[in-house]
């Protein structure tokens, strides 16, 4: 037997132990080891039943995703599981940690399943653009019914053990030691002559004739663009309508289709990238961390309140500072209402609301935050005000406290320069709403110390965020790239596209909404102020599009004023507005632009290629360390569809030479100013490489 899978005996019970850290993934040696162990148990006359258990932090967490896309090394998983299920000696899966994907499928192939109460089980393949391909789509519906199985697989949810027992996935919860409990359970199975219970031999409960069509209609909008959820429905349909063996064939065929799909390739890339961002190049793994036991947030506005909620949610005490009592009460009132709304939806309890509010300590005095290990400034976006706050923090905060700014546009180094401790200063750019959005751009200044970076990156995870480290520049990574897209979107409309056409092209590409619907939601006055500041500072662009500014000057600031680029009858649904169309036509005439019909492909290229080009500049300048950092920012902060893998991954799929060729075409048509490819983009295209070859 291999060291990775061992077979031992405890009296009449054979114990199969998997030890393949970190998550006991089903790599080839595990599959081969499982097969050999079951054969050993069957061949040994002294063995009457078997227990399958795992070492380390978890039961098997799934197939080894790193093997995907490579030629399959025998044995494949399905025959291994089939052999386990076919065994005539009972096999008991003993689960702790997470039994996920292929891991749960192995357990479903066992005759019984027991687990500790803290364990969770699930079939999350959908998150990798896949479906459970080792019998999960056929066995789970036989245990829990088609609807429950579909819910679990389409959501990819991790079901807590007590709930899994109620559903019939688990036979028993073990209160004390898992191994001892599983052995006792196996002995009881023998004593009670319960024999082997094979999931594949169970019938599937029938469903209504229109059940699958209705289920599909129910997820169609939310899951648009993703392929796997719809393939999962087809597989479960097969479980209901076909004998087990035929259902397995259908599952295999659908699984193979997904495995070869661009959607799954992209989602697998995202899975690893999402973990890779936490590892900062050049920052040793053992960099010491500063301890963060209490936090303070300066500013109780929408942003400050949202930021504070993240810490309270994670059980970390957080002080919130405002200048006036009134502003403080208003801010914390909003926080309380947010929590109460969540509680009213049943997502947290009333006691949770009080516990979290209890962790938030309001104050109007800087002296009260002197002991904080981390202070996050979230005041009005003005350099002068921020500098004033940092001078005060420098004066009162204890030595070693981390001083963070939530600025989204200002120079972190300039803010740090007013303190006597620039090494302790860092940017933590939360996205709005800060208690919901998972992205956190952590901005390293010139002087930021390594242990400050390491601490903040780790803390990001602790508060449930995806922290990505970026450097200082105008707009950092996300907004700097967004600016490129928004500029072209405005030009396109001036040249003849309709706002709703531009929005539809980007919505169909997979964004949750187009740039104009997004601007209306965020408020048009925000961008207006930025542009005004730029104009005042004499920063004139070679081409300025004035139509959105004229909309703002009409008092139409977006959804909050009931009208913006669109009009809103119900307050939320954007409707095209003839008045705005006329305004756009007039602006175009005044700018001497001859309007024309613009095709969807041009809209897509002109909105997204400049994003990629800016990404290339960001890489060249070292503002982002790797293309994957940019991809994760865009997926978590800007709704870039995960099934396209992020802008840089997507660019590689299109081929950089095709993007450069489009740049040349647009340079001829529109001038070179905005259409000169970044040197890095041009170089990679010339060499026939992609960003991920860097
Ligand atoms: C499947 O099963 C297909 C079958 O239906 C059909 C087959 C025919 N493989 O997340 P963490 C690595 S599809 C390889 O930071 P946590 C991960 O990259 C699979 N590696 O820990 C990281 O490596 P590193 C269905 C894997 O404690 C390290 O383990 N299963 C795999 O926060 C630690 O991971 C899933 O989709 C894997 N399957 O969370 C489950 N999983 O240290 C995916 C993890 O080098 N996994 N790694 O960066 C998870 O959801 C979480 O990892 C888990 C632990 C909850 C298990």
């Amino acid at each position: 037997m291999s060291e990775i899978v061992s077979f031992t005996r405890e009296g009449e019970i054979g114990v199969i132990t998997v030890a393949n850290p970190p998550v006991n993934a089903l790599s080839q040696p595990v599959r081969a080891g499982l097969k050999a162990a079951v054969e050993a148990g069957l061949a040994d006359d002294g063995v009457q039943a078997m227990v399958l258990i795992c070492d380390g932090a978890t039961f098997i967490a799934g197939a080894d995703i790193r093997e995907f896309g490579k030629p399959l090394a025998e044995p494949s998983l399905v025959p291994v599981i089939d052999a386990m299920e076919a065994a005539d000696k009972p096999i008991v899966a003993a689960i702790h940690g997470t039994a996920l994907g292929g891991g749960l499928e192995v357990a479903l192939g066992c005759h019984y399943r027991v687990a500790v109460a803290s364990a969770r089980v699930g079939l999350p393949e959908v998150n990798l653009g896949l479906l459970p391909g080792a019998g999960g789509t056929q066995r789970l519906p036989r245990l829990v019914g088609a609807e429950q199985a579909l819910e679990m697989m389409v959501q990819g949810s991790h079901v807590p053990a007590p709930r899994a027992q109620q559903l019939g996935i688990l036979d028993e919860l073990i209160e004390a030691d898992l191994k001892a409990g599983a052995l006792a359970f196996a002995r009881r199975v023998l004593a009670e002559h319960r024999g082997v219970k094979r999931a594949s031999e169970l019938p599937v409960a029938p469903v209504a004739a229109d059940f699958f069509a209705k289920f599909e209609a129910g997820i169609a909008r939310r899951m648009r663009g993703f392929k796997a959820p719809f393939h999962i429905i087809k597989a479960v349909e097969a479980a209901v309508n076909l004998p087990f063996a035929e259902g397995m064939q259908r599952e295999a065929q659908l699984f193979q289709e997904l495995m070869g799909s661009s959607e799954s390739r992209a989602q697998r890339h995202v899975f690893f990238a999402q973990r890779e961002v936490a590892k900062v190049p050049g920052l040793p793994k053992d960099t010491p961390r500063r301890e963060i036991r209490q936090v303070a947030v300066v500013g109780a506005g929408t942003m400050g309140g949202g930021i504070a909620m993240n810490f309270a949610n994670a059980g970390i005490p957080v002080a919130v500072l405002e200048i006036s009592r009134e502003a403080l009460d208003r801010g914390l009132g909003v926080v309380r209402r947010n929590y109460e709304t969540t509680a009213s939806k049943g997502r947290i309890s009333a006691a949770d609301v009080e516990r979290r509010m209890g962790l938030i300590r309001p104050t109007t005095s800087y002296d009260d935050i002197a002991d904080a290990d981390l202070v996050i400034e979230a005041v009005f976006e003005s350099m002068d005000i921020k500098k004033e706050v940092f001078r005060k923090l420098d004066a009162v905060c204890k030595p070693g406290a981390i001083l963070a700014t939530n600025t989204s546009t200002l120079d972190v180094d300039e803010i740090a320069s007013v303190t006597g401790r620039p090494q302790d200063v860092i940017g933590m750019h939360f996205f709005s709403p800060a208690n919901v959005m998972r992205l956190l751009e952590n901005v390293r200044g010139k002087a930021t110390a390594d242990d400050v970076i390491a601490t903040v990156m780790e803390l990001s995870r602790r508060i449930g965020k995806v922290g990505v480290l970026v450097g200082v520049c105008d707009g950092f990574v996300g907004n700097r790239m967004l600016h490129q897209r928004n500029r072209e979107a405005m030009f396109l409309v001036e040249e003849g596209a309709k706002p709703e056409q531009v929005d539809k092209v980007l919505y169909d590409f997979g964004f949750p909404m187009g740039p104009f619907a997004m601007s209306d939601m965020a408020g048009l006055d925000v961008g207006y102020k930025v542009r005004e500041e730029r104009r005042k500072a004499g920063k004139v662009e070679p081409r300025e599009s004035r139509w959105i500014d004229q909309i703002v000057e009409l008092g139409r600031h977006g959804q909050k004023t009931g009208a913006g680029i669109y009009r809103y009858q119900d307050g939320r649904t954007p409707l095209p507005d003839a008045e705005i169309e006329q305004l756009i036509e007039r602006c175009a005439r005044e700018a001497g632009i001859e309007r024309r019909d613009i095709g969807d492909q041009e809209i897509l290229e002109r909105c997204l290629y400049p994003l990629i080009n800016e990404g290339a500049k960001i890489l060249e300048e070292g503002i982002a360390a790797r293309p994957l950092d940019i991809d994760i920012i865009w997926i978590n902060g800007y709704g870039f569809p995960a099934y396209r893998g992020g802008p840089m991954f997507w660019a590689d799929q299109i081929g950089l030479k095709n993007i450069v060729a489009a740049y040349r075409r647009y340079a001829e048509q529109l001038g070179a100013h905005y259409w000169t490819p970044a040197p890095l983009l041009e170089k990679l295209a010339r060499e026939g490489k992609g960003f991920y070859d860097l």
Side-chain angles (χ1 to χ4, degrees), residues 21-26 31 57-68 72 76-78 98-105 120 122-128 130-136 158 251 255-256 259 271-272 275-276 279 285 461:
V23 297
N24 289 315
L26 288 157
R31 298 194 298 271
T58 179
F59 191 77
I60 300 166
D64 189 339
I65 306 168
R66 290 176 207 275
E67 284 184 356
F68 291 173
L72 179 88
S76 63
L77 189 54
V78 170
T98 44
L100 298 176
L104 180 58
E105 291 177 297
R120 285 173 300 145
L123 295 171
E125 284 87 344
V126 71
N127 297 325
L128 300 164
L130 295 172
L131 54 74
H158 295 186
E251 178 192 89
F255 180 79
Q256 282 314 327
M259 187 60 99
F271 175 86
F272 286 114
R275 284 158 178 77
E276 223 35 51
K279 302 170 195 159
K285 236 174 140 180
R461 187 175 158 123

Side-chain angles (χ1 to χ4, degrees), residues 621-643:
E621 293 165 24
I623 297 294
R626 302 154 296 189
L628 65 88
D629 295 294
I630 299 178
D631 284 340
I632 292 305
I633 286 174
W634 269 79
I635 287 169
N636 288 285
Y638 298 85
F640 198 99
Y643 57 82

Side-chain angles (χ1 to χ4, degrees), residues 152-360:
M152 262 179 78
M153 290 188 275
V154 165
Q155 309 287 350
S157 49
H158 295 186
V159 181
R163 172 80 183 133
Q165 186 192 18
Q166 278 172 2
L167 290 173
I169 300 171
L170 299 175
D171 296 282
E172 192 169 290
L173 295 187
I174 305 288
E175 275 177 17
D177 180 66
L178 176 63
K179 186 172 169 192
L183 286 171
F185 181 89
R187 291 199 171 102
R188 236 179 308 130
V189 167
L190 292 174
E192 293 167 7
H193 305 289
R194 285 160 70 179
V196 293
K197 225 173 68 185
R198 299 187 177 102
S200 67
E201 291 173 357
L202 299 172
V204 192
V207 292
D210 60 352
F211 168 75
F212 290 104
K214 274 194 173 153
F215 193 93
E216 186 169 327
I219 64 163
R221 194 179 154 84
R222 195 160 33 97
M223 307 261 174
R224 81 198 150 85
F226 290 94
K227 201 175 252 164
F230 302 94
H231 270 47
I232 289 173
I233 295 175
K234 290 188 188 121
V236 175
E237 225 172 326
V240 171
N241 296 328
L242 300 174
F244 182 78
E246 284 174 44
M248 285 297 286
Q249 279 173 14
R250 180 82 175 122
E251 178 192 89
Q253 177 209 345
L254 291 165
F255 180 79
Q256 282 314 327
E257 274 176 31
L258 290 177
M259 187 60 99
S261 69
S262 59
E263 290 86 349
S264 176
R265 252 199 315 279
Q267 287 179 261
R268 271 141 44 202
H269 151 69
V270 173
F271 175 86
F272 286 114
Q274 196 98 1
R275 284 158 178 77
E276 223 35 51
V277 284
K279 302 170 195 159
V280 177
L283 197 72
K285 236 174 140 180
D286 55 359
T287 306
R289 271 59 166 172
R290 299 188 190 178
E291 215 171 328
I292 305 294
R293 273 170 308 208
Q294 42 176 334
V295 175
V297 177
V298 181
T302 317
M303 217 49 200
I307 294 172
M309 287 173 78
N310 289 296
F311 293 96
N313 296 349
I316 303 170
V318 51
V320 176
L321 185 143
E322 257 296 347
I323 320 171
S324 74
R325 252 295 136 194
E326 205 191 356
L328 201 51
D329 291 345
R330 202 180 323 120
L332 291 192
V334 173
V335 170
R336 175 172 280 281
R337 272 198 300 285
N338 275 339
Y339 278 139
E340 282 168 354
T341 307
T342 313
S344 71
K345 290 180 187 151
R347 287 202 228 117
I348 56 172
S349 68
D352 287 333
V353 175
E354 296 314 319
R355 200 171 313 119
R356 292 177 197 197
M357 285 307 294
L359 285 167
I360 304 179

Side-chain angles (χ1 to χ4, degrees), residues 371-419:
D371 275 345
D373 302 304
L374 161 72
V375 183
I376 304 171
E377 161 280 308
V379 300
F380 188 71
E381 193 75 353
S382 136
M383 184 53 97
D384 290 344
I385 300 178
K386 297 216 185 243
K387 280 183 174 170
E388 198 184 312
V389 169
F390 272 77
R391 277 193 202 100
K392 284 192 190 143
L393 293 178
D394 193 29
V396 301
C397 290
K398 69 178 182 188
I402 297 177
L403 308 182
T405 168
N406 175 50
T407 182
S408 54
T409 48
L410 301 174
D411 183 340
V412 175
D413 290 323
E414 193 177 336
I415 297 173
S417 71
V418 301
T419 72

Side-chain angles (χ1 to χ4, degrees), residues 273-274 277-278 303 306-307 310 406-408 427-443 456-457 459-461 463-470 475-482 518 628-640 647:
Q274 196 98 1
V277 284
M303 217 49 200
I307 294 172
N310 289 296
N406 175 50
T407 182
S408 54
M428 287 177 82
H429 178 209
F430 288 82
F431 286 68
S432 189
N435 53 318
V436 177
M437 296 291 289
R438 292 197 69 211
L439 177 62
L440 186 51
E441 276 182 332
N442 293 323
V443 190
V456 167
M457 289 298 284
L459 183 68
S460 309
R461 187 175 158 123
I463 60 170
K465 300 287 176 202
V466 180
V468 185
L469 190 68
V470 303
F476 310 128
V477 171
N479 285 345
R480 174 170 161 183
M481 289 167 70
L482 183 71
M518 186 171 150
L628 65 88
D629 295 294
I630 299 178
D631 284 340
I632 292 305
I633 286 174
W634 269 79
I635 287 169
N636 288 285
Y638 298 85
F640 198 99

Side-chain angles (χ1 to χ4, degrees), residues 413 416 421-425 444-450 452-453 472:
D413 290 323
R421 39 173 134 174
Q423 74 282 359
D424 296 339
V425 176
R444 100 195 282 167
K446 269 203 298 279
T448 312
D450 277 0
V452 170
I453 294 172
V472 175

